[in-house]
Amino acid sequence: MDKFRMIFQFFQSNQESFMNGICGIMALASTQMYSAFDFNCPCLPHYNMAYGLGILLVPPFILFLLGFVLNNNISMLAEEWRRPHGQRGKDPAVLRYMFCSMAQRAMIAPAVWVSVTLLDGKCITCAFCTSVPVETLGNASHPLLSQEEIQRVLARIPCKEIYNGQEVIANEVAVRYLRCISQALGWCFVLLMTTLAFLVRSLRPCFSQAAFLKSRYWSHYIDIERKLFDETCAEHAKSFAKVCIQQFFEGMSTDLVAARCHLPQKASADTGEASKKLLGITDQGTMNMVLKSWHRCKPPLHLHPSALPSRNGWAGEGQSPVHPSAAQRETAAYYSLV
């Protein structure tokens, strides 16, 4: 249990580790889905290829989209891409890094599905059973069968229980031939994916390490900033609700006194503490304006120790920030009597 707890804590350490864990779970789920999937080839000349290639390509596409859906950064990427410039510009390098990072993680489960499917060989056997070279592996000059009938017989190769073309080509020979080709394609696909991952991991620091670090840093910053903003809004909503409910009960004080009920003494202290957390935002219209201003003109990424909230552009988009250097200078004159 301690090992599972450590693994779970590692997945929760940051957003990237969490998404790596989600993608790993999806990769394992894809293998379990394929093992539990009941593969039934239609064994018809015009449907085998559509069914086999559909099982090979459609589930990976669904898993790819599911990887984007389960990634929490997709909404953050869309919000950052669509928001106005405001007081903070948008860096295309950060947006590209976020999209590439999500795409790489979303490709893990589809790659596992394609690899397992090719190594198993059922899809390729079903899709290309009519393309078996009968001239090489069987008897193409069978006197009792036409070309269309041979194609119909070959389409039944994946269905061993209804296959009746042993005189044309042995079922075991055709299945072994197609499965060897499928496994060769599967291992080539695994080698290709491994080589691409190795090249991306090893060659990227040699060319653009500084740009990669900057993009990664600001991507993490956007994620952390969004979480802190959500936590701040949740805390403000809690304080707002607390003060609103307390004022409601205080408005009912006349009826409570008439009923000989006394208000607790601690209520005013709790209300005062909650009111301090509201930071002057005490009505719905002001809060809506703050939320719209945060979306339209986020504060620039340049910290000033003496800066006020209005100087970050929250009060309006057209205001220019006032720097401490623009303050008025004071002069002192000294007079002496001789």
Side-chain angles (χ1 to χ4, degrees):
M1 292 300 295
D2 294 337
K3 293 182 179 179
F4 287 106
R5 190 182 298 109
M6 292 176 60
I7 295 174
F8 186 72
Q9 291 176 355
F10 172 75
F11 286 156
Q12 286 187 329
S13 59
N14 53 53
Q15 182 70 13
E16 187 173 359
S17 300
F18 176 75
M19 291 313 306
N20 289 335
I22 291 294
C23 293
I25 294 175
M26 286 185 59
L28 294 177
S30 65
T31 58
Q32 293 296 324
M33 289 170 56
Y34 183 80
S35 61
F37 177 71
D38 189 10
F39 187 89
N40 292 315
C41 186
C43 295
L44 296 174
H46 302 290
Y47 297 95
N48 284 8
M49 181 172 292
Y51 182 82
L53 296 182
I55 298 300
L56 179 65
L57 300 178
V58 173
F61 180 72
I62 297 175
L63 292 173
F64 181 75
L65 295 181
L66 187 61
F68 272 100
V69 171
L70 294 179
N71 199 321
N72 295 329
N73 291 337
I74 186 64
S75 59
M76 183 176 64
L77 174 61
E79 179 183 354
E80 184 69 15
W81 178 51
R82 293 294 299 170
R83 73 169 178 85
H85 283 275
Q87 299 292 326
R88 183 192 302 178
K90 293 182 287 187
D91 191 356
V94 177
L95 299 179
R96 286 195 301 268
Y97 171 80
M98 294 169 62
F99 178 79
C100 293
S101 179
M102 288 186 293
Q104 290 175 5
R105 293 184 177 92
M107 283 294 296
I108 296 177
V112 172
W113 177 277
V114 174
S115 302
V116 173
T117 304
L118 290 176
L119 292 176
D120 185 58
K122 293 180 182 178
C123 291
I124 298 297
T125 302
C126 180
F128 298 99
C129 58
T130 56
S131 301
V132 175
V134 183
E135 298 83 1
T136 306
L137 302 178
N139 183 16
S141 59
H142 196 278
L144 301 179
L145 297 176
S146 62
Q147 190 66 26
E148 294 182 356
E149 292 176 345
I150 290 178
Q151 291 293 319
R152 191 178 299 110
V153 169
L154 294 178
R156 298 176 182 177
I157 289 177
C159 305
K160 188 176 181 180
E161 61 278 2
I162 62 174
Y163 181 69
N164 56 355
Q166 293 291 341
E167 65 277 1
V168 178
I169 184 174
N171 182 269
E172 294 79 5
V173 174
V175 171
R176 187 181 296 270
Y177 173 79
L178 294 172
R179 184 167 294 178
C180 289
I181 295 177
S182 179
Q183 291 179 352
L185 293 176
W187 285 116
C188 291
F189 180 79
V190 172
L191 179 61
L192 178 62
M193 291 293 103
T194 306
T195 305
L196 288 178
F198 171 76
L199 292 177
V200 169
R201 289 287 186 176
S202 59
L203 297 182
R204 183 173 54 186
C206 300
F207 295 98
S208 59
Q209 180 66 10
F212 170 73
L213 290 177
K214 290 189 294 184
S215 301
R216 184 177 182 179
Y217 175 84
W218 291 117
S219 174
H220 291 335
Y221 173 83
I222 293 174
D223 182 33
I224 295 173
E225 184 186 52
R226 185 186 185 188
K227 290 181 180 178
L228 291 178
F229 184 78
D230 292 341
E231 292 176 0
T232 305
C233 290
E235 185 178 357
H236 184 276
K238 183 179 179 180
S239 301
F240 189 88
K242 188 174 184 179
V243 174
C244 185
I245 294 172
Q246 191 64 41
Q247 288 180 355
F248 169 76
F249 280 101
E250 288 178 356
M252 300 293 293
S253 59
T254 304
D255 297 337
L256 293 175
V257 171
R260 295 183 180 181
C261 296
H262 299 282
L263 296 174
Q265 299 294 330
K266 190 179 179 182
S268 59
D270 294 341
T271 305
E273 182 181 356
S275 300
K276 293 180 181 179
K277 297 181 180 180
L278 295 178
L279 301 175
I281 305 172
T282 56
D283 60 353
Q284 184 179 4
T286 306
M287 189 63 199
N288 291 336
M289 184 185 66
V290 170
L291 296 175
K292 292 179 181 178
S293 299
W294 175 261
H295 174 70
R296 288 196 304 265
C297 47
K298 290 186 178 181
L301 300 178
H302 183 64
L303 303 180
H304 299 283
S306 59
L308 296 176
S310 61
R311 295 176 185 173
N312 285 331
W314 292 12
E317 298 182 13
Q319 296 181 0
S320 59
V322 180
H323 298 281
S325 60
Q328 296 181 355
R329 297 182 180 179
E330 297 181 357
T331 59
Y334 298 93
Y335 299 92
S336 62
L337 297 177
V338 180

